[in-house]
Amino acid sequence: MSRPAHRRPTALAASALVLSLALGACARQADAPPTPSASGTPITVVHGGEGLEAAVAAVLARHLRLHGHAVADEDGVAVEQPAWSAAGGDTVAVVDTLALAVAADPAAALPSPPSPSSTPTGTEAGTSADAVPTPSATASTAAPSPTALPVGDPAADAPAAGRVLETLLSEETAAAGTPQDEAPAVLSSSAGVLRLTAVVTQTTAARLELESITDLNGRCESLTAVAPPPLTAAADAATALRARLDRLAGCRPETWLADTEDPSAAVVADEAQVALLTGTDPEIDANTLVPLEDDGRVLPEGRLTAVGSAATLDDDAERRIAEVMSALDGDGLRELEWLTTGDDPLPVAEAAQYWLVDHGLEDAPEDWFVPRGSWF
């Protein structure tokens, strides 16, 4: 989907220029630098085809191949079944535990909140409901009237989202009768967290005086909201997500955009005024969007996780997978997503190479110019 034209921050613009120059150099060289002789049964890295999963699968596949492991497909393989269920043997799966937990167990990811009180938060104890309003009181009631927000259970944090994955793996292992020492399990998870975050434009933040998600209390009735389709595709998940925004943040949008593949573009174009994005989404910085604080964790979080069978993979393969996942901190996640979804996205195999070079996990070809520090 094409994005509305916008000016990126200077650092990203500069990095785009360097990358374009490097791409020219790349086109003149061999497809990949020399690698050690691959040995053993090829490893297949699979993913669900959504979000960052495909890019991370390509990074893992390339990193394994460059360190002497036979890999079935350099780009990774998209599967129709849940990726986690394909893991095992010589197959490694990349799983977004945020999306998985919300879809597979919305009750755990998005606990049902208590019903809110009908008493406005601005009502003071002892004030009579029959009191004659003063001019100042009349003016204040013309503004949106927030509701008292109950204290509810926080949404799933990254460990809790990971436990949803572990439970699914355990149930699959038991159903298949797989010996425990051969069963697929979590090999490594990204250092950075995928935190679902309510985001607005600077104009909306200033106009409505928004700093935190609870500042939306009583202000969403005339707004349109949008969320990533993978998080709202299941009816139960969409209902649970909206219930938490309603009861714990007082946010009841007039409209939810449906079938919008690019929520950040929708909020930039003012088709929506509130977008739910992951906090590492590069479009937040690129468009100077304002993430709203969420100290009570109204919205959940997760990580990108590699799943496989340690009994089948050798120690070096596990170590190489862990190297990549450790480098996927907040900045690493943001950079990889920018490479694959920005204004000039790269094919995942090329993005994987640039990302690995930038993070010191692959040597740059001799004719590349690599700036001191980082491209990003």
Side-chain angles (χ1 to χ4, degrees):
M1 173 179 287
S2 62
R3 297 172 180 270
H6 55 260
R7 183 172 62 85
R8 291 184 171 277
T10 303
L12 289 184
S15 64
L17 175 61
V18 174
L19 279 174
S20 66
L21 294 174
L23 274 171
C26 183
R28 295 189 297 272
Q29 67 168 23
D31 289 340
T35 64
S37 298
S39 60
T41 304
I43 298 171
T44 301
V45 185
V46 302
H47 58 87
E50 296 286 354
L52 273 169
E53 292 180 358
V56 173
V59 172
L60 288 176
R62 182 179 181 87
H63 194 53
L64 286 166
R65 182 173 63 82
L66 293 180
H67 287 278
H69 299 277
V71 175
D73 191 306
E74 182 178 310
D75 291 353
V77 178
V79 293
E80 293 186 3
Q81 70 192 93
W84 63 267
S85 67
D90 298 300
T91 299
V92 173
V94 177
V95 180
D96 176 346
T97 64
L98 169 60
L100 176 67
V102 169
D105 195 349
L110 300 160
S112 180
S115 298
S117 165
S118 60
T119 305
T121 56
T123 301
E124 297 181 3
T127 300
S128 170
D130 298 325
V132 177
T134 63
S136 60
T138 303
S140 67
T141 56
S145 179
T147 56
L149 301 178
V151 177
D153 292 333
D157 59 7
R163 287 192 290 273
V164 172
L165 170 60
E166 291 168 357
T167 298
L168 291 171
L169 291 170
S170 178
E171 292 173 349
E172 180 86 356
T173 295
T178 306
Q180 284 295 329
D181 60 347
E182 299 176 10
V186 171
L187 300 173
S188 185
S189 293
S190 63
V193 169
L194 300 174
R195 177 75 179 270
L196 195 62
T197 304
V199 173
V200 298
T201 62
Q202 288 190 333
T203 299
T204 299
R207 177 170 60 86
L208 299 180
E209 299 180 337
L210 304 177
E211 293 184 357
S212 74
I213 194 169
T214 53
D215 290 337
L216 291 169
N217 190 0
R219 297 179 179 273
C220 288
E221 281 76 359
S222 62
L223 304 181
T224 296
V226 62
L231 296 180
T232 56
D236 289 349
T239 299
L241 183 61
R242 294 172 188 179
R244 288 186 65 83
L245 282 173
D246 179 346
R247 299 177 191 173
L248 300 180
C251 179
R252 293 169 285 278
E254 180 180 34
T255 305
W256 281 88
L257 290 185
D259 302 324
T260 301
E261 296 182 4
D262 194 340
S264 62
V267 77
V268 169
D270 201 34
E271 297 169 358
Q273 291 72 49
V274 180
L276 302 184
L277 307 175
T278 57
T280 55
D281 190 318
E283 295 300 325
I284 294 176
D285 289 341
N287 294 287
T288 60
L289 301 177
V290 179
L292 301 181
E293 297 175 2
D294 184 10
D295 294 338
R297 206 162 63 244
V298 173
L299 302 174
E301 64 183 25
R303 298 182 192 272
L304 286 164
T305 295
V307 179
S309 175
T312 304
L313 300 172
D314 62 36
D315 291 344
D316 186 72
E318 286 192 69
R319 181 165 58 253
R320 301 307 175 184
I321 291 170
E323 285 177 346
V324 168
M325 304 310 285
S326 295
L328 284 169
D329 55 12
D331 288 338
L333 291 167
R334 187 176 295 106
E335 291 163 8
L336 185 57
E337 186 167 359
W338 177 71
L339 281 169
T340 54
T341 66
D343 286 341
D344 299 301
L346 298 178
V348 290
E350 292 182 23
Q353 181 177 13
Y354 284 105
W355 189 89
L356 287 165
V357 170
D358 189 63
H359 285 266
L361 296 175
E362 180 178 332
D363 292 335
E366 292 182 0
D367 52 356
W368 278 25
F369 168 74
V370 182
R372 183 174 299 176
S374 171
W375 276 311
F376 307 98

